[in-house]
Amino acid sequence: MPPPSAEAFRVRAEIDLGAVRSNVRALRARAPGAALMAVVKADAYGHGLLPCARAARQAGAAWLGTATPEEALALRAAGDRGPVLCWLWTPGGPWREAVEAGVDVAASGRWALDEAVAGARAAGRTARVQLKVDTGLGRNGCPPADWPDLVAAARAAESEGTVRVTGVWSHFACADEPGHPSIAAQLDAFREALSVAGRAGLDPEVRHLANSPATLTLPESHFDLVRPGVSVYGLSPSPEVGSAAELGLRPAMTLRASLAQVKRVPGGHGVSYGHTYTTPGETTLALVPAGYADGIPRHASGTGPVLVAGKPRTVAGRVAMDQFVVDLGGDTAEAGDEAVLFGPGDRGEPTAEDWARAVGSIGYEIVTRIGARVPRVYAGEDPAGETQGEA
Ligand SMILES: *Cc1c(COP(=O)(O)O)cnc(C)c1O
């Protein structure tokens, strides 16, 4: 992807919305019998909530999913009117606002259902509630032992008109490790929870379980709706599932910086805080003006890959808050030359997955933590704009 403009910049994240659309289409093709919910939590995994939400809708995402209610309400404030689910609630959350906005709210237990009912009464409108069961993740979700009680209470709230149970759903623990025994166990537990709900009289619009790896590898988990996140942005959920290219995905984010300084230094020169790197001989040092305040992991000290003036390099010494240094060896460069920290990988630059490997993390964390100080610059906006399902 060429830089969207010739404007000067320190560091910026270029977001290819055409890649987001093509990833959504590729994921829909993997789950032809199900609708797709594009997960846009955490500012669309660092890519920018609203442009990515729009791109996902244009490519046929029937649903959008967020963690927090504030993220869901931000979609409504920006004019999104389609189905939205938010699932990470705490007591006292904006239940009435979510009900008024027609946002689906998740309930993993009685307190949440009760607050949704109170929100519905305050709003004078039926709450759209999706009941979440813990099928084995051991994180959010209603334990199976409490499920019959939650289901019965939700059915009672339906009868009095405060609630409509629109969904029953759960989340995988190990879908990124195909063949992991917990996957089949969670599928069984989910089917059991669905039959408990059905026997109690619930008839949800959508039953859903599949995150990115399950969308890509496990058709029997697709049910009515798949719920991919990281793959919408073109990252593979794990090396075991395949590379982005093997999965037909294109990374949407390119993180690019302009060198702030290039200088000659003698051999034996310490570099950056703590002098953890010393120049082996006379050399050229390039200063990349991005640091951990911008989301560059400090664990990348001495290991992070970066393409500088067209050649692959490694972070020399410590990553500081605002900058890090690269040793160019015998090569030269100039202030203003380009450093590409990561991108799709087809122009010689590292990928977010390469950074993840270098720092012992996952691609999810690399892109999501790119800081608020880094401007997002968008390319590939769809000129047709409003149309859905352009596939
Ligand atoms: C984040 C999240 C997803 C998306 O997961 P990916 O692995 O990014 O596809 C789906 N469902 C829930 C509940 C989530 O929290």
Side-chain angles (χ1 to χ4, degrees):
M1 181 175 74
S5 85
E7 267 170 54
F9 61 93
R10 175 182 68 94
V11 58
R12 67 186 190 185
E14 296 161 8
I15 311 301
D16 179 357
L17 295 172
V20 172
R21 291 194 301 274
S22 105
N23 296 331
V24 168
R25 285 190 220 105
L27 290 159
R28 286 177 64 206
R30 292 285 190 131
L36 184 139
M37 172 187 289
V39 178
V40 294
K41 62 188 178 185
D43 202 28
Y45 291 50
H47 294 66
L49 174 67
L50 299 175
C52 291
R54 239 178 344 258
R57 290 281 198 208
Q58 286 164 358
W63 286 78
L64 298 176
T66 71
T68 72
E70 289 77 13
E71 293 167 330
L73 292 170
L75 290 168
R76 286 290 188 257
D80 187 283
R81 294 282 160 261
V84 174
L85 169 66
C86 58
W87 51 75
L88 191 57
W89 287 88
T90 45
W95 297 95
R96 178 178 58 78
E97 291 82 348
V99 174
E100 280 170 350
V103 165
D104 284 43
V105 302
S108 290
R110 279 301 298 271
W111 75 261
L113 180 65
D114 292 347
E115 292 206 9
V117 166
R121 292 212 173 95
R125 192 175 159 171
T126 302
R128 294 173 55 88
V129 176
Q130 300 211 15
L131 301 179
K132 185 174 191 189
V133 58
D134 184 353
T135 51
L137 173 59
R139 200 178 66 178
N140 204 352
C142 178
D146 301 339
W147 182 245
D149 172 62
L150 180 63
V151 159
R155 182 72 198 111
E158 277 195 333
S159 305
E160 67 173 24
T162 47
V163 159
R164 160 92 182 103
V165 176
T166 50
V168 170
W169 67 295
S170 188
H171 195 39
F172 276 118
C174 307
D176 57 343
E177 297 173 48
H180 193 284
S182 68
I183 295 172
Q186 286 199 257
L187 272 168
D188 284 348
F190 189 57
R191 289 193 197 97
E192 174 58 23
L194 286 173
S195 69
V196 169
R199 284 199 301 274
L202 296 182
D203 182 23
E205 295 163 18
V206 284
R207 303 159 302 153
H208 50 109
L209 180 57
N211 55 1
S212 289
T215 301
L216 291 163
T217 65
L218 202 64
E220 63 267 45
S221 72
H222 292 172
F223 294 93
D224 304 310
L225 181 65
V226 294
R227 220 169 54 231
V230 79
S231 53
V232 166
Y233 310 101
L235 302 190
S236 164
S238 74
E240 293 94 315
V241 172
S243 69
E246 285 162 358
L247 298 168
L249 303 172
R250 181 159 179 84
M253 183 188 291
T254 297
L255 187 66
R256 203 186 295 273
S258 305
L259 296 183
Q261 187 179 36
V262 179
K263 64 186 176 194
R264 292 293 291 176
V265 298
H269 201 301
V271 173
S272 191
Y273 292 133
H275 281 178
T276 57
Y277 178 80
T278 304
T279 56
E282 187 184 349
T283 190
T284 305
L285 298 180
L287 182 65
V288 179
Y292 58 78
D294 301 297
I296 312 307
R298 190 166 176 275
H299 279 94
S301 301
T303 68
V306 56
L307 189 77
V308 178
K311 278 202 190 171
R313 306 288 183 182
T314 304
V315 174
R318 287 211 183 129
V319 175
M321 184 181 292
D322 314 301
Q323 36 196 309
F324 66 84
V325 175
V326 171
D327 186 342
L328 301 186
D331 293 338
T332 54
E334 286 178 41
D337 282 356
E338 168 182 273
V340 187
L341 285 81
F342 59 82
D346 49 8
R347 291 172 61 238
E349 77 279 15
T351 61
E353 277 144 36
D354 293 328
W355 274 81
R357 210 170 307 114
V359 306
S361 182
I362 52 177
Y364 293 72
E365 186 177 18
I366 299 299
V367 294
T368 303
R369 293 187 70 165
I370 296 307
R373 195 166 71 172
V374 177
R376 273 63 171 174
V377 179
Y378 295 93
E381 202 103 42
D382 177 16
E386 302 306 311
T387 50
Q388 282 201 7
E390 65 180 56

Coordinates of all heavy atoms in Angstrom, one line a residue, residues 149-227:
D149 N -31.3 -21.6 36.2 CA -32.0 -20.4 36.9 C -31.9 -19.2 36.1 O -32.9 -18.4 36.0 CB -31.2 -20.3 38.2 CG -31.7 -19.0 39.0 OD1 -32.9 -19.0 39.3 OD2 -30.8 -18.1 39.2
L150 N -30.8 -18.9 35.4 CA -30.7 -17.7 34.6 C -31.7 -17.7 33.5 O -32.4 -16.7 33.2 CB -29.3 -17.5 34.1 CG -29.0 -16.3 33.2 CD1 -29.2 -15.0 34.0 CD2 -27.6 -16.3 32.6
V151 N -31.8 -18.9 32.8 CA -32.7 -19.1 31.7 C -34.1 -18.9 32.2 O -34.9 -18.2 31.5 CB -32.4 -20.5 31.1 CG1 -33.6 -21.0 30.3 CG2 -31.1 -20.5 30.3
A152 N -34.5 -19.5 33.3 CA -35.9 -19.4 33.8 C -36.2 -17.9 34.1 O -37.3 -17.4 33.8 CB -36.0 -20.2 35.0
A153 N -35.2 -17.2 34.7 CA -35.5 -15.8 35.1 C -35.6 -14.9 33.8 O -36.5 -14.0 33.7 CB -34.3 -15.2 35.9
A154 N -34.9 -15.3 32.8 CA -34.9 -14.5 31.5 C -36.3 -14.8 30.8 O -36.9 -13.9 30.2 CB -33.8 -14.9 30.6
R155 N -36.7 -16.1 30.9 CA -38.0 -16.4 30.3 C -39.1 -15.7 31.0 O -40.1 -15.2 30.4 CB -38.2 -18.0 30.4 CG -39.5 -18.4 29.8 CD -39.5 -18.4 28.3 NE -40.8 -18.5 27.7 CZ -41.5 -17.5 27.1 NH1 -40.9 -16.3 26.9 NH2 -42.7 -17.6 26.7
A156 N -39.1 -15.6 32.3 CA -40.1 -14.9 33.1 C -40.1 -13.4 32.7 O -41.1 -12.8 32.5 CB -39.8 -15.0 34.6
A157 N -38.9 -12.8 32.5 CA -38.8 -11.4 32.1 C -39.4 -11.2 30.6 O -40.0 -10.2 30.3 CB -37.4 -10.9 32.1
E158 N -39.2 -12.3 29.8 CA -39.8 -12.2 28.5 C -41.4 -12.1 28.6 O -42.0 -11.4 27.9 CB -39.4 -13.4 27.6 CG -38.1 -13.3 27.0 CD -37.9 -14.3 25.9 OE1 -38.5 -15.4 25.9 OE2 -37.1 -14.0 24.9
S159 N -41.9 -13.0 29.5 CA -43.3 -13.0 29.7 C -43.9 -11.7 30.1 O -45.0 -11.3 29.7 CB -43.7 -14.1 30.7 OG -43.2 -15.3 30.3
E160 N -43.1 -11.0 31.0 CA -43.7 -9.7 31.4 C -43.3 -8.6 30.4 O -43.7 -7.4 30.6 CB -43.2 -9.3 32.8 CG -41.7 -9.1 32.9 CD -41.2 -8.6 34.3 OE1 -41.8 -8.9 35.3 OE2 -40.1 -8.0 34.3
G161 N -42.5 -8.9 29.4 CA -42.3 -7.9 28.3 C -41.1 -7.0 28.5 O -40.9 -6.1 27.7
T162 N -40.3 -7.2 29.6 CA -39.2 -6.3 29.8 C -38.0 -6.8 28.9 O -37.1 -6.0 28.7 CB -38.8 -6.3 31.3 OG1 -38.7 -7.6 31.8 CG2 -39.8 -5.4 32.0
V163 N -37.9 -8.0 28.6 CA -36.8 -8.6 28.0 C -37.2 -9.4 26.7 O -38.2 -10.1 26.8 CB -36.0 -9.5 29.0 CG1 -35.1 -10.5 28.3 CG2 -35.2 -8.6 29.9
R164 N -36.4 -9.4 25.7 CA -36.4 -10.4 24.6 C -35.1 -11.0 24.6 O -34.0 -10.3 24.4 CB -36.8 -9.7 23.3 CG -36.4 -10.5 22.1 CD -37.6 -11.3 21.6 NE -37.2 -12.1 20.4 CZ -36.9 -13.4 20.4 NH1 -37.0 -14.1 21.6 NH2 -36.5 -14.1 19.3
V165 N -35.0 -12.3 24.8 CA -33.7 -13.0 24.7 C -33.4 -13.2 23.2 O -33.9 -14.1 22.5 CB -33.8 -14.4 25.4 CG1 -32.4 -15.1 25.3 CG2 -34.0 -14.1 26.9
T166 N -32.5 -12.4 22.7 CA -32.2 -12.4 21.3 C -31.0 -13.4 21.0 O -30.9 -13.8 19.8 CB -31.7 -11.0 20.8 OG1 -30.7 -10.6 21.7 CG2 -32.9 -10.1 20.8
G167 N -30.2 -13.8 22.0 CA -29.1 -14.7 21.7 C -28.7 -15.5 22.9 O -29.0 -15.2 24.0
V168 N -28.1 -16.7 22.5 CA -27.5 -17.5 23.5 C -26.1 -17.8 22.9 O -26.0 -18.2 21.8 CB -28.2 -18.9 23.8 CG1 -27.4 -19.8 24.6 CG2 -29.6 -18.6 24.4
W169 N -25.1 -17.6 23.8 CA -23.7 -17.7 23.2 C -22.7 -18.0 24.3 O -23.0 -18.1 25.5 CB -23.4 -16.3 22.5 CG -23.3 -15.1 23.5 CD1 -24.3 -14.6 24.2 CD2 -22.1 -14.4 23.7 NE1 -23.8 -13.5 24.9 CE2 -22.5 -13.3 24.6 CE3 -20.8 -14.4 23.3 CZ2 -21.6 -12.4 25.1 CZ3 -19.9 -13.5 23.7 CH2 -20.3 -12.5 24.6
S170 N -21.5 -18.3 23.8 CA -20.4 -18.7 24.6 C -19.0 -18.3 23.9 O -19.1 -17.8 22.8 CB -20.5 -20.1 25.0 OG -19.5 -20.5 26.0
H171 N -17.9 -18.7 24.5 CA -16.6 -18.3 24.0 C -15.6 -19.4 24.2 O -15.6 -20.0 25.3 CB -16.2 -17.0 24.6 CG -15.0 -16.3 24.0 ND1 -14.9 -16.1 22.6 CD2 -14.0 -15.6 24.5 CE1 -13.8 -15.4 22.3 NE2 -13.2 -15.1 23.5
F172 N -14.8 -19.7 23.2 CA -13.8 -20.7 23.3 C -12.5 -20.4 24.1 O -12.1 -19.2 24.0 CB -13.3 -21.1 21.9 CG -14.2 -22.1 21.1 CD1 -14.8 -21.7 20.0 CD2 -14.4 -23.4 21.6 CE1 -15.6 -22.6 19.3 CE2 -15.2 -24.3 20.9 CZ -15.9 -23.9 19.8
A173 N -11.9 -21.4 24.7 CA -10.6 -21.2 25.4 C -9.4 -21.4 24.5 O -8.4 -20.8 24.5 CB -10.6 -22.1 26.6
C174 N -9.5 -22.5 23.6 CA -8.4 -23.0 22.9 C -8.6 -23.2 21.4 O -8.0 -24.1 20.8 CB -7.9 -24.3 23.6 SG -7.6 -24.2 25.3
A175 N -9.5 -22.5 20.8 CA -9.8 -22.7 19.4 C -8.6 -22.4 18.5 O -8.5 -22.9 17.4 CB -11.0 -21.9 19.0
D176 N -7.6 -21.7 19.1 CA -6.4 -21.4 18.3 C -5.4 -22.5 18.3 O -4.4 -22.4 17.7 CB -5.8 -20.1 18.8 CG -5.4 -20.1 20.2 OD1 -6.0 -21.0 21.0 OD2 -4.6 -19.3 20.7
E177 N -5.8 -23.6 19.0 CA -5.0 -24.9 19.0 C -5.9 -26.0 18.4 O -6.4 -26.7 19.2 CB -4.5 -25.2 20.4 CG -3.6 -24.2 21.0 CD -3.3 -24.6 22.5 OE1 -3.0 -25.7 22.8 OE2 -3.5 -23.7 23.4
P178 N -6.0 -26.0 17.1 CA -6.9 -27.0 16.5 C -6.7 -28.4 17.1 O -5.5 -28.8 17.2 CB -6.6 -26.9 15.0 CG -6.1 -25.5 14.8 CD -5.3 -25.2 16.1
G179 N -7.7 -29.1 17.4 CA -7.6 -30.5 18.0 C -7.5 -30.5 19.5 O -7.6 -31.6 20.1
H180 N -7.4 -29.3 20.1 CA -7.3 -29.3 21.6 C -8.6 -29.9 22.2 O -9.7 -29.6 21.7 CB -7.2 -27.9 22.1 CG -6.9 -27.8 23.5 ND1 -7.8 -28.0 24.5 CD2 -5.7 -27.5 24.1 CE1 -7.2 -27.9 25.7 NE2 -5.9 -27.5 25.5
P181 N -8.5 -30.9 23.1 CA -9.7 -31.6 23.6 C -10.8 -30.7 24.2 O -11.9 -31.0 24.2 CB -9.1 -32.5 24.7 CG -7.7 -32.1 24.9 CD -7.2 -31.3 23.7
S182 N -10.4 -29.5 24.7 CA -11.4 -28.6 25.2 C -12.4 -28.1 24.2 O -13.5 -27.7 24.5 CB -10.8 -27.4 25.9 OG -10.2 -26.6 24.9
I183 N -12.0 -28.2 22.9 CA -12.9 -27.7 21.9 C -14.2 -28.5 21.7 O -15.3 -28.0 21.8 CB -12.1 -27.6 20.5 CG1 -11.0 -26.6 20.6 CG2 -13.1 -27.2 19.4 CD1 -10.0 -26.6 19.4
A184 N -14.0 -29.8 21.6 CA -15.1 -30.7 21.5 C -16.0 -30.6 22.8 O -17.2 -30.7 22.8 CB -14.7 -32.1 21.3
A185 N -15.3 -30.5 24.0 CA -16.0 -30.5 25.2 C -16.9 -29.2 25.3 O -18.0 -29.2 25.8 CB -15.0 -30.5 26.4
Q186 N -16.3 -28.1 24.8 CA -17.1 -26.8 24.8 C -18.3 -26.9 23.9 O -19.3 -26.4 24.2 CB -16.2 -25.6 24.5 CG -15.3 -25.3 25.7 CD -14.7 -23.8 25.6 OE1 -13.6 -23.7 25.2 NE2 -15.5 -22.9 25.9
L187 N -18.0 -27.5 22.7 CA -19.2 -27.7 21.8 C -20.3 -28.5 22.4 O -21.5 -28.1 22.3 CB -18.7 -28.4 20.5 CG -18.1 -27.5 19.4 CD1 -17.4 -28.4 18.3 CD2 -19.2 -26.7 18.7
D188 N -19.9 -29.6 23.1 CA -21.0 -30.4 23.8 C -21.7 -29.6 24.8 O -22.9 -29.6 24.9 CB -20.3 -31.6 24.4 CG -20.0 -32.7 23.4 OD1 -20.4 -32.6 22.3 OD2 -19.2 -33.6 23.8
A189 N -20.9 -28.8 25.6 CA -21.5 -28.0 26.7 C -22.4 -27.0 26.1 O -23.5 -26.6 26.7 CB -20.4 -27.4 27.6
F190 N -22.0 -26.4 25.0 CA -22.9 -25.4 24.4 C -24.2 -26.0 23.9 O -25.3 -25.4 24.1 CB -22.1 -24.7 23.2 CG -22.8 -23.5 22.7 CD1 -23.1 -22.4 23.5 CD2 -23.1 -23.4 21.3 CE1 -23.8 -21.3 23.0 CE2 -23.8 -22.3 20.8 CZ -24.1 -21.2 21.6
R191 N -24.1 -27.1 23.2 CA -25.3 -27.8 22.7 C -26.3 -28.1 23.9 O -27.5 -27.9 23.8 CB -25.0 -29.0 21.9 CG -24.4 -28.7 20.6 CD -24.3 -30.0 19.7 NE -23.4 -29.8 18.6 CZ -22.2 -30.2 18.6 NH1 -21.7 -30.9 19.6 NH2 -21.4 -29.9 17.6
E192 N -25.7 -28.5 25.0 CA -26.5 -28.8 26.2 C -27.1 -27.5 26.7 O -28.3 -27.5 27.1 CB -25.6 -29.5 27.3 CG -26.2 -29.7 28.6 CD -27.5 -30.6 28.6 OE1 -27.6 -31.4 27.6 OE2 -28.3 -30.5 29.5
A193 N -26.4 -26.4 26.8 CA -27.0 -25.2 27.3 C -28.1 -24.7 26.3 O -29.1 -24.2 26.8 CB -25.9 -24.1 27.4
L194 N -27.9 -24.9 25.0 CA -29.0 -24.5 24.1 C -30.2 -25.4 24.3 O -31.3 -24.8 24.3 CB -28.5 -24.7 22.7 CG -27.5 -23.7 22.1 CD1 -27.0 -24.2 20.7 CD2 -28.1 -22.3 22.0
S195 N -30.1 -26.6 24.6 CA -31.3 -27.4 24.8 C -31.9 -27.1 26.2 O -33.2 -27.1 26.2 CB -31.0 -28.9 24.6 OG -30.2 -29.4 25.7
V196 N -31.2 -26.7 27.2 CA -31.8 -26.3 28.4 C -32.6 -25.0 28.1 O -33.7 -24.8 28.6 CB -30.7 -26.0 29.5 CG1 -31.3 -25.2 30.7 CG2 -30.0 -27.3 29.9
A197 N -32.0 -24.1 27.4 CA -32.7 -22.8 27.0 C -34.0 -23.1 26.2 O -35.0 -22.5 26.5 CB -31.8 -21.9 26.3
G198 N -33.9 -24.0 25.3 CA -35.0 -24.4 24.4 C -36.1 -25.0 25.2 O -37.3 -24.6 25.1
R199 N -35.8 -25.9 26.1 CA -36.8 -26.5 27.0 C -37.5 -25.5 27.9 O -38.7 -25.7 28.2 CB -36.2 -27.7 27.8 CG -35.9 -28.9 27.0 CD -35.7 -30.2 27.9 NE -34.6 -30.0 28.8 CZ -33.4 -30.3 28.6 NH1 -33.0 -30.8 27.4 NH2 -32.4 -30.2 29.5
A200 N -36.8 -24.5 28.3 CA -37.4 -23.4 29.1 C -38.2 -22.5 28.3 O -38.8 -21.5 28.9 CB -36.3 -22.7 29.9
G201 N -38.3 -22.6 27.0 CA -39.1 -21.8 26.2 C -38.4 -20.6 25.5 O -39.1 -19.8 24.8
L202 N -37.1 -20.6 25.6 CA -36.4 -19.5 24.9 C -36.2 -19.8 23.4 O -36.0 -21.0 23.1 CB -35.0 -19.2 25.5 CG -35.1 -18.7 27.0 CD1 -33.6 -18.5 27.5 CD2 -35.9 -17.4 27.1
D203 N -36.3 -18.9 22.6 CA -36.2 -19.1 21.1 C -35.3 -17.9 20.5 O -35.8 -17.0 19.9 CB -37.6 -19.1 20.4 CG -37.5 -19.4 19.0 OD1 -36.4 -20.0 18.5 OD2 -38.4 -19.0 18.2
P204 N -34.0 -18.0 20.8 CA -33.1 -16.8 20.4 C -33.0 -16.7 18.9 O -33.1 -17.7 18.2 CB -31.8 -17.2 21.1 CG -31.8 -18.7 21.3 CD -33.3 -19.0 21.5
E205 N -32.8 -15.5 18.5 CA -32.5 -15.2 17.0 C -31.1 -15.8 16.6 O -31.0 -16.3 15.5 CB -32.5 -13.7 16.8 CG -33.8 -13.0 17.0 CD -33.7 -11.5 17.1 OE1 -32.7 -10.9 16.7 OE2 -34.6 -10.9 17.6
V206 N -30.2 -15.7 17.5 CA -28.8 -16.1 17.2 C -28.2 -16.9 18.3 O -28.2 -16.5 19.5 CB -27.9 -14.9 16.8 CG1 -28.2 -14.4 15.4 CG2 -28.0 -13.8 17.8
R207 N -27.5 -18.0 17.9 CA -26.7 -18.8 18.8 C -25.3 -18.8 18.2 O -25.1 -19.0 17.0 CB -27.2 -20.3 18.7 CG -28.7 -20.4 19.1 CD -29.3 -21.7 18.6 NE -29.2 -21.8 17.2 CZ -29.2 -22.9 16.5 NH1 -29.2 -24.1 17.1 NH2 -29.0 -22.9 15.2
H208 N -24.3 -18.4 19.1 CA -23.0 -18.2 18.5 C -21.9 -18.5 19.5 O -22.0 -18.3 20.7 CB -22.9 -16.8 17.9 CG -23.3 -15.7 18.8 ND1 -22.4 -14.8 19.4 CD2 -24.5 -15.2 19.2 CE1 -23.0 -13.9 20.1 NE2 -24.3 -14.1 20.0
L209 N -20.8 -19.0 18.9 CA -19.7 -19.5 19.7 C -18.3 -19.2 19.0 O -17.3 -19.1 19.7 CB -19.9 -21.0 19.8 CG -18.9 -21.9 20.6 CD1 -18.7 -21.4 22.0 CD2 -19.3 -23.3 20.6
A210 N -18.3 -19.0 17.7 CA -17.0 -19.0 17.0 C -16.3 -17.7 17.0 O -16.8 -16.7 16.4 CB -17.2 -19.5 15.6
N211 N -15.1 -17.6 17.5 CA -14.1 -16.5 17.3 C -13.3 -16.7 16.0 O -13.7 -17.6 15.2 CB -13.2 -16.4 18.5 CG -12.5 -17.7 18.8 OD1 -12.6 -18.7 18.1 ND2 -11.7 -17.8 19.9
S212 N -12.3 -16.0 15.8 CA -11.6 -16.1 14.5 C -11.1 -17.6 14.2 O -11.4 -18.1 13.2 CB -10.3 -15.2 14.5 OG -10.7 -13.9 14.3
P213 N -10.3 -18.2 15.2 CA -9.8 -19.5 14.8 C -10.9 -20.5 14.5 O -10.8 -21.3 13.6 CB -9.0 -19.9 16.0 CG -9.3 -19.0 17.1 CD -9.8 -17.7 16.5
A214 N -12.0 -20.4 15.3 CA -13.2 -21.4 15.1 C -13.9 -21.0 13.8 O -14.3 -22.0 13.0 CB -14.1 -21.3 16.2
T215 N -14.0 -19.8 13.4 CA -14.6 -19.4 12.1 C -13.7 -20.0 11.0 O -14.3 -20.5 10.0 CB -14.6 -17.9 12.0 OG1 -15.4 -17.3 13.0 CG2 -15.2 -17.4 10.6
L216 N -12.4 -20.0 11.2 CA -11.5 -20.5 10.1 C -11.3 -22.0 10.0 O -11.0 -22.5 9.0 CB -10.1 -19.8 10.3 CG -10.1 -18.3 10.0 CD1 -8.9 -17.6 10.6 CD2 -10.2 -18.0 8.5
T217 N -11.5 -22.7 11.2 CA -11.2 -24.1 11.2 C -12.3 -25.0 11.6 O -12.1 -26.3 11.6 CB -10.0 -24.3 12.2 OG1 -10.4 -24.0 13.5 CG2 -8.8 -23.5 11.8
L218 N -13.4 -24.5 12.1 CA -14.3 -25.4 12.8 C -15.8 -25.1 12.4 O -16.6 -24.5 13.1 CB -14.2 -25.2 14.3 CG -14.6 -26.2 15.3 CD1 -13.7 -27.5 15.2 CD2 -14.4 -25.7 16.7
P219 N -16.2 -25.6 11.2 CA -17.5 -25.3 10.7 C -18.7 -25.7 11.7 O -19.7 -25.0 11.8 CB -17.7 -26.1 9.4 CG -16.2 -26.4 9.0 CD -15.4 -26.4 10.2
E220 N -18.5 -26.8 12.5 CA -19.5 -27.2 13.4 C -19.8 -26.2 14.5 O -20.7 -26.3 15.3 CB -19.3 -28.6 13.9 CG -18.1 -28.8 14.8 CD -16.9 -29.3 14.0 OE1 -16.6 -28.7 12.9 OE2 -16.1 -30.2 14.5
S221 N -18.9 -25.2 14.6 CA -19.0 -24.2 15.7 C -19.7 -22.9 15.2 O -19.9 -22.0 15.9 CB -17.7 -23.8 16.2 OG -16.9 -23.0 15.3
H222 N -20.1 -22.9 13.9 CA -20.6 -21.7 13.3 C -22.0 -21.3 13.7 O -22.4 -20.1 13.8 CB -20.5 -21.7 11.8 CG -19.1 -21.7 11.3 ND1 -18.8 -21.9 10.0 CD2 -17.9 -21.6 11.9 CE1 -17.4 -21.9 9.8 NE2 -16.9 -21.7 11.0
F223 N -22.9 -22.3 14.0 CA -24.3 -22.0 14.4 C -24.9 -20.9 13.5 O -24.8 -21.0 12.3 CB -24.4 -21.7 15.9 CG -24.0 -22.9 16.7 CD1 -22.7 -23.1 17.2 CD2 -24.9 -23.9 17.0 CE1 -22.3 -24.3 17.9 CE2 -24.6 -25.1 17.8 CZ -23.3 -25.2 18.2
D224 N -25.5 -19.9 14.1 CA -26.2 -18.8 13.3 C -25.3 -17.7 13.0 O -25.6 -16.8 12.1 CB -27.4 -18.3 14.1 CG -28.3 -19.4 14.5 OD1 -28.7 -20.2 13.7 OD2 -28.7 -19.4 15.7
L225 N -24.2 -17.6 13.7 CA -23.4 -16.3 13.7 C -21.9 -16.6 14.0 O -21.7 -17.4 15.0 CB -24.0 -15.3 14.7 CG -23.4 -13.9 14.9 CD1 -23.7 -13.1 13.6 CD2 -24.1 -13.2 16.0
V226 N -21.0 -16.1 13.3 CA -19.6 -16.2 13.7 C -19.1 -14.8 14.2 O -19.6 -13.8 13.7 CB -18.7 -16.8 12.6 CG1 -19.1 -18.2 12.3 CG2 -18.8 -15.9 11.3
R227 N -18.1 -14.8 15.0 CA -17.8 -13.6 15.8 C -16.2 -13.3 15.7 O -15.6 -13.3 16.7 CB -18.1 -13.9 17.2 CG -18.8 -12.8 18.0 CD -19.4 -13.3 19.3 NE -18.4 -14.0 20.1 CZ -18.6 -15.2 20.7 NH1 -19.7 -15.9 20.5 NH2 -17.7 -15.8 21.4

